[in-house]
Amino acid sequence: MNHLKDTFKHKGKRKILISELREKGIFDESILEAFDAVPRHFFLDLAFEEQAYSNTAFQIGSGQTISHPFTVAFQTQLLEIKKGMKVLEIGTGSGFQTCILGKLGAKIVSIERHRDLHLKAKKMLEFFNINAKLFFGDGYAGNKSYAPYDRILVTCGAPDVPEVLMSQLKVGGHMVIPVGEDEEQKMLKITKKNNDDNSILEFGTFKFVPMLERTVK
Ligand code: SAH
C-alpha cells in the first residue's frame, strides 16, 4: 500500500490498455471509464508495477491471481450492471474487480476464502471509498442475509453451477460464471426464469483459478 502513486506514465499506459480493451470488444463506455478511474497497479506488488497495464494475470499472494483486465472487463460487460443493483461477487481476490463494479454504482457483497487476501482487499476498497461489504467465507454458501441479488459474478472456475447461488439470484437476474473442471472453463451467462427453464448463453473459454470449498486462514 506504500506505492499508491498514480503518475503520468501510469495514466498513459492505462489509456493504451483501455484502447486495447475497446478493440477486443468492450464497448460499454462506463466500464472503460471505470478502468481509467481504478489504477490497476495499486493492486499489485511493486515488482509487477511496470507490467500492470499489460493484459496479463499476476500473482497476488496465497497462490491466487488477479484476473486479466480483459477478463474483468468482459465479465463486467456480460453482467449489464445498472446503478444501485445488488451484486454478489464470489472471489474478491485483490479487490480490483470489486472496485470496477463499485465505480459502476453497484452495491456489492463480495466473498473471499483466503483471509489475508480478504483483509488486503478490504483496505483497497476503503481507499477507493467503494460501497462494498466484504466477507471472509466460503462462496459456495453465498450470502443469504443480503439475497436476492440482481447479479451474481463468480471470478473463479466452478466445477458446476452452485444451486445455492442460483437460489440467491432474483428472477430475471443474471449470473456470470466460468464453469469447467479442467484447466479451462466456459464462460456462462445464466438468466434466471421463474420456472426451472433458465436461459444459458456461452461466451468462449477462459482460465481461472479453481473455486474451492472451505476457507483458508
Ligand atoms: N476478481 C479477482 C479475481 C481473483 S482470482 C481479482 O480481480 O483479483 C479468484 C479468487 O477466488 C481467488 O482469490 C480465490 O481465493 C477465490 N476463491 C476460490 N474459491 C472460492 C470460494 N469458494 N469462496 C470465495 N472465494 C473463492
Side-chain angles (χ1 to χ4, degrees):
M1 291 279 282
N2 56 357
H3 59 288
L4 302 186
K5 245 197 287 168
D6 195 25
T7 64
F8 280 116
K9 200 166 140 194
H10 293 123
K11 289 185 177 116
K13 286 188 179 177
R14 212 145 64 230
K15 294 276 183 238
I16 296 171
L17 172 65
I18 288 165
S19 58
E20 283 169 8
L21 293 176
R22 196 179 271 123
E23 270 166 34
K24 283 179 159 234
I26 305 302
F27 51 79
D28 184 334
E29 288 298 323
S30 60
I31 295 175
L32 297 170
E33 277 166 28
F35 266 77
D36 203 22
V38 183
R40 188 174 186 250
H41 69 280
F42 286 7
F43 296 80
L44 302 174
D45 281 348
L46 265 182
F48 298 126
E49 200 191 326
E50 282 295 306
Q51 293 117 35
Y53 296 101
S54 59
N55 195 19
T56 42
F58 289 103
Q59 299 296 323
I60 52 171
S62 306
Q64 305 305 317
T65 50
I66 180 171
S67 300
H68 285 62
F70 176 71
T71 308
V72 173
F74 189 70
Q75 285 197 294
T76 310
Q77 189 160 271
L78 288 179
L79 281 170
E80 296 178 64
I81 305 278
K82 293 189 184 66
K83 271 205 179 81
M85 277 187 170
K86 219 190 313 169
V87 180
L88 173 67
E89 178 191 31
I90 309 300
T92 318
S94 66
F96 177 71
Q97 166 86 73
T98 323
C99 283
I100 296 290
L101 295 172
K103 288 284 175 198
L104 296 174
K107 288 186 255 163
I108 311 144
V109 173
S110 183
I111 307 172
E112 171 56 55
R113 69 186 282 275
H114 280 278
R115 185 190 282 280
D116 54 343
L117 291 179
H118 159 73
L119 293 173
K120 263 197 240 171
K122 236 180 153 163
K123 283 193 191 153
M124 293 307 290
L125 273 288
E126 278 163 22
F127 177 80
F128 282 104
N129 208 5
I130 300 282
N131 179 7
K133 293 185 171 49
L134 265 52
F135 293 94
F136 166 58
D138 181 354
Y140 275 103
N143 188 313
K144 221 177 158 187
S145 23
Y146 295 94
Y149 299 94
D150 298 292
R151 302 288 186 257
I152 297 181
L153 170 63
V154 180
T155 74
C156 36
D160 44 34
V161 181
E163 283 287 326
V164 175
L165 296 185
M166 276 314 291
S167 74
Q168 295 182 7
L169 184 63
K170 272 188 197 167
V171 171
H174 306 308
M175 183 189 309
V176 171
I177 177 170
V179 175
E181 288 196 88
D182 302 322
E183 283 223 331
E184 291 192 330
Q185 298 86 32
K186 289 196 164 73
M187 187 66 77
L188 303 185
K189 175 174 176 175
I190 306 170
T191 305
K192 185 165 169 171
K193 303 276 172 71
N194 49 14
N195 47 34
D196 270 341
D197 193 20
N198 298 323
S199 104
I200 303 179
L201 297 175
E202 228 184 274
F203 291 89
T205 51
F206 289 79
K207 274 189 190 169
F208 283 84
V209 295
M211 182 169 178
L212 301 170
E213 283 179 70
R214 292 183 294 277
T215 53
V216 185
K217 299 227 170 187

